[in-house]
Amino acid sequence: MMPANKASDRTRKPKAEPKAMPKSKPGAEAMRKRETDPKPENPPMPTAVTHLDPLHFPLRGSRLIEASAGTGKTFTLALLYIRLVLGHGRTGEDGTAFARPLTPPEILVVTFTEAATKELRERIRARLVEAAELFSEPVAALDAQPIKDPLKALRQDYPPEHWPACAHRLRLAA
């Protein structure tokens, strides 16, 4: 007598037990621990609101400015751009600026869409022109009142004899 169809015998065999998981690397175990541990080793960044002072914000390295619409991101970016063009903050030991003023081809400002990029470029240029005009104005009597306009406060960081050179640099950048 012939044995039953061998192909059907193969399909009736019980399935093999699943193989044991290979030993994981230490990093993989740590990843799993972070996913399940209520107190992870690297907790998420706090979500507290931080006030950005554009006149004292460090200009070295990469920076991310993230905020809701209408909060003044473009205004702030333009002021930071002006500071880079003027070389603002490069004196002192805090290392908050580059060793020399930068030119526009050396500055990278990134946004998400072509339309937003075009608007950002136009608004930075307009702000450069506005700053150049302000630095071109003659020295006025200083008020005892605090200066609220950040461009005027920036100008006060430079001696009046440097204002014409600053205005020239800003016009070239625009």
Side-chain angles (χ1 to χ4, degrees):
M1 209 168 174
M2 291 203 99
N5 185 340
K6 290 192 178 207
S8 65
D9 283 350
R10 282 187 211 138
T11 57
R12 291 183 187 170
K13 287 184 181 177
K15 292 185 179 180
E17 290 293 320
K19 293 183 180 179
M21 294 294 289
K23 287 188 177 180
S24 60
K25 296 178 183 176
E29 183 61 35
M31 290 295 282
R32 273 190 231 109
K33 181 180 178 188
R34 271 188 235 127
E35 291 171 2
T36 59
D37 191 343
K39 292 184 179 180
E41 293 172 19
N42 295 325
M45 295 290 288
T47 57
V49 175
T50 303
H51 175 72
L52 189 149
D53 179 2
L55 291 177
H56 300 98
F57 188 73
L59 297 176
R60 302 270 317 160
S62 298
R63 304 290 176 195
L64 172 67
I65 297 174
E66 183 179 31
S68 301
T71 57
K73 289 182 301 292
T74 303
F75 179 86
T76 299
L77 283 172
L79 189 55
L80 295 174
Y81 196 98
I82 290 167
R83 287 184 57 212
L84 288 167
V85 167
L86 292 175
H88 183 259
R90 61 189 167 114
T91 58
E93 299 178 14
D94 59 359
T96 60
F98 290 88
R100 62 176 178 74
L102 300 180
T103 60
E106 297 172 305
I107 303 169
L108 177 64
V109 180
V110 179
T111 189
F112 294 103
T113 66
E114 288 183 31
T117 301
K118 182 181 178 190
E119 180 187 355
L120 184 59
R121 184 182 309 117
E122 289 170 358
R123 293 195 40 202
I124 287 174
R125 279 195 181 125
R127 197 75 167 144
L128 286 165
V129 169
E130 181 184 353
E133 290 171 358
L134 179 67
F135 274 89
S136 297
E137 290 177 3
V139 179
L142 296 175
D143 285 338
Q145 299 290 328
I147 299 172
K148 292 188 180 187
D149 179 359
L151 275 181
K152 288 182 180 177
L154 177 65
R155 182 177 72 167
Q156 290 306 115
D157 283 351
Y158 291 89
E161 59 271 12
H162 291 171
W163 292 0
C166 291
H168 179 69
R169 178 172 284 286
L170 291 163
R171 273 190 226 98
L172 289 175

